[in-house]
Amino acid sequence: MAIVKEPKGIDFVVKSEPWSDEELKEFRKLMKKQKSELGEKKRSKIKENYKKVSKQPA
C-alpha cells in the first residue's frame, strides 16, 4: 500500500464540529422515536443475541 500525499491546499484531516444544543435536542428526539418504534419484542431479541455473543470466548 502506498502513502498518499496531500495536494497543496487540500487537508485530509477531518475535524468534526461540536453539536449545538438544538442539534443535540433534535438527535435525541430522533433516537427516542426510533427506539419507541422498535418494539419491546425486537429489543428483547437484540438483548438476548447480544448476551450470547458477549459470552463467547475470544
Side-chain angles (χ1 to χ4, degrees), residues 16-57:
S16 58
E17 298 284 327
W19 288 22
S20 68
D21 289 339
E22 184 65 32
E23 289 171 326
L24 278 173
K25 190 176 184 180
E26 190 175 319
F27 175 75
R28 289 178 179 139
K29 184 177 169 183
L30 175 66
M31 290 296 104
K32 189 174 185 177
K33 180 182 174 192
Q34 286 184 346
K35 191 173 182 181
S36 67
E37 290 173 356
L38 189 58
E40 184 59 40
K41 188 174 182 179
K42 181 75 174 176
R43 269 187 263 145
S44 64
K45 185 170 181 141
I46 291 170
K47 287 179 186 177
E48 182 182 308
N49 289 338
Y50 175 76
K51 287 178 185 178
K52 287 179 186 176
V53 172
S54 63
K55 288 182 181 179
Q56 292 179 351

Side-chain angles (χ1 to χ4, degrees), residues 6-22:
E6 293 178 347
K8 289 185 179 180
I10 306 290
D11 188 10
F12 287 152
V13 178
V14 178
K15 293 181 183 177
S16 58
E17 298 284 327
W19 288 22
S20 68
D21 289 339
E22 184 65 32

